[in-house]
Amino acid sequence: MPKLGMEPIRKAALVKAAIAEIGAARSLDVTVSKIAKRAGVSSGLAHHYFGSKEQIFLAAMRHIQTLFRDRVRSELRAAETPRQRLNAIIAASFDEDEFAPEVISAWLIFYVQAQNSKGARRLLLVYTHRMHSNLVFNLRQLTNEANAHLIANALGALIDGLYIRQALQENPLDRFQTMGLVWDYLELKLAQSDQQQNNRQNAQ
């Protein structure tokens, strides 16, 4: 196997250091020098690789999104039915690593940055569109098209909202309790959808 060069190793270290520093500060009020120090490289080298603190942050968010995508794929491998696949997507959203305090803080700051940064907004739209598409694909097999989109929108908002609550430490729940809230909502909406379908059939 070819040896991995130092540049990708150092970039990966800077990305992980950025997540840790942002998580510790719970804001973007961190310096490149602090990130570089945690990564064990010079601030000059960090600027050379990324150009600015914003670019380091965007690289950190791309890294988090990639890990999330990989977790979803891993969870989906064991899922056979549409409901199991929906459960797998929710489980991946509250994976132990994904629900780590520093990652939660990074996600919250990511949403704030998306209001002013085109790069952050593009990354956020990629995440939200992919999440919505995955949810709707499976919900369509359990309910009608309109309900599928409505439930997918609500699930996405519920997951994001629970992350915000967790970041703000307002009545923090562990990841299993949080996951349970989302599963309970999904169960309720699918049951309501089934009842509506039965009522329509009985009325005919």
Side-chain angles (χ1 to χ4, degrees):
M1 292 178 61
K3 290 184 178 180
L4 190 64
M6 288 306 297
E7 181 173 339
I9 293 173
R10 287 170 176 161
K11 281 185 174 180
L14 284 163
V15 164
K16 291 178 181 178
I19 295 169
E21 286 293 332
I22 291 165
R26 300 182 69 187
S27 76
L28 273 182
D29 189 23
V30 296
T31 63
V32 173
S33 62
K34 287 189 70 174
I35 294 171
K37 183 178 180 180
R38 183 184 283 265
V41 302
S42 69
S43 57
L45 197 58
H47 280 290
H48 172 71
Y49 286 147
F50 291 100
S52 67
K53 184 173 71 174
E54 182 182 3
Q55 290 305 313
I56 297 176
F57 178 65
L58 292 177
M61 291 315 307
R62 280 192 290 270
H63 175 71
I64 290 172
Q65 286 190 359
T66 298
L67 291 179
F68 174 65
R69 181 198 65 200
D70 292 344
R71 288 188 192 102
V72 171
R73 289 176 177 175
S74 177
E75 292 282 348
L76 286 174
R77 290 192 189 101
E80 297 179 355
T81 66
R83 181 56 194 273
Q84 288 175 349
R85 288 193 289 272
L86 289 167
N87 288 347
I89 294 168
I90 294 168
S93 298
F94 299 102
D95 178 88
E96 185 175 6
D97 292 333
E98 189 72 20
F99 212 52
E102 66 273 15
V103 177
I104 292 173
S105 292
W107 271 110
L108 180 58
I109 295 162
F110 184 36
Y111 271 84
V112 174
Q113 280 295 103
Q115 297 179 75
N116 302 306
S117 165
K118 290 182 179 179
R121 183 169 178 79
R122 279 196 299 270
L123 284 177
L124 182 59
L125 288 175
V126 168
Y127 158 74
T128 55
H129 288 169
R130 183 182 292 134
M131 172 69 86
H132 187 79
S133 177
N134 284 336
L135 291 171
V136 168
F137 175 80
N138 292 289
L139 285 165
R140 279 190 185 123
Q141 301 171 66
L142 300 171
T143 186
N144 61 53
E145 181 79 11
N147 275 343
H149 283 278
L150 286 172
I151 296 172
N153 279 327
L155 284 172
L158 181 55
I159 290 169
D160 290 346
L162 287 167
Y163 264 77
I164 292 171
R165 285 289 184 90
Q166 198 74 10
L168 297 175
Q169 297 184 343
E170 292 185 12
N171 301 318
L173 304 172
D174 66 37
R175 67 188 186 91
F176 296 105
Q177 292 171 315
T178 306
M179 206 184 310
L181 290 175
V182 184
W183 277 332
D184 287 347
Y185 172 79
L186 176 60
E187 183 71 29
L188 174 64
K189 297 308 292 184
L190 290 178
Q192 288 177 349
S193 179
D194 287 341
Q195 185 62 50
Q196 290 170 358
Q197 180 66 23
N198 290 335
N199 291 342
R200 283 193 292 267
Q201 291 176 348
N202 293 335
Q204 291 176 356

